[in-house]
Amino acid sequence: QVQLVESGGGLVQAGGSLRLSCVASGRTLNSLTMGWFRQAPGKEREFVGAISWKYGTSLYGDSVKGRFTISRDNAKNTVYLQMNSLKPEDTAVYYCAADKFGRVVLGTRSSYDYWGQGTQVTVSS
């Protein structure tokens, strides 16, 4: 079993930056593929990005490519989502997710087994 806890959300002006954190417990990050998703009110949950350190691969959604970056801190078993050049359309609840099989990065929601509770990001114009 893997538990995920996100933090770091908040209110930021357009053009600003935020870094979200996701602390994982129960398994080490090396054995997992980690993903970030987001969901805006009235919309489907959208893939943001994912990374597999086992395979050395990463994948980002088109809407965030070049602005968002996923990284990790092994000592803290924590994965981060650095978000730069934020736009009002980035406003959403952001979720951290883990694929227990540690497969090559996946962009589909159904591929992930564990989810955090979400953290709200609001970007004002």
Side-chain angles (χ1 to χ4, degrees):
Q1 192 78 4
V2 176
Q3 291 78 43
L4 304 172
V5 179
E6 303 102 332
S7 62
L11 174 64
V12 63
Q13 288 189 333
S17 297
L18 274 178
R19 189 180 75 162
L20 306 183
S21 301
C22 173
V23 180
S25 58
R27 294 265 299 272
T28 61
L29 292 179
N30 279 336
S31 66
L32 302 167
T33 294
M34 299 299 297
W36 287 93
F37 289 75
R38 67 186 182 185
Q39 189 165 16
K43 294 189 176 181
E44 294 290 318
R45 193 165 295 190
E46 175 190 15
F47 173 72
V48 173
I51 191 164
S52 166
W53 291 282
K54 177 180 177 181
Y55 292 99
T57 55
S58 62
L59 179 69
Y60 293 92
D62 289 341
S63 61
V64 306
K65 204 172 294 183
R67 299 188 298 123
F68 291 11
T69 305
I70 299 173
S71 62
R72 67 174 175 174
D73 182 330
N74 285 340
K76 297 179 179 180
N77 215 41
T78 298
V79 62
Y80 302 101
L81 179 67
Q82 178 66 44
M83 306 185 294
N84 298 327
S85 302
L86 283 162
K87 305 174 182 180
E89 50 264 43
D90 294 318
T91 295
V93 176
Y94 283 71
Y95 298 90
C96 172
D99 163 33
K100 66 182 179 182
F101 297 109
R103 293 170 287 188
V104 176
V105 290
L106 303 163
T108 56
R109 180 179 174 179
S110 60
S111 300
Y112 293 85
D113 308 286
Y114 304 105
W115 293 84
Q117 81 288 352
T119 185
Q120 175 71 47
V121 172
T122 302
V123 184
S124 64
S125 57

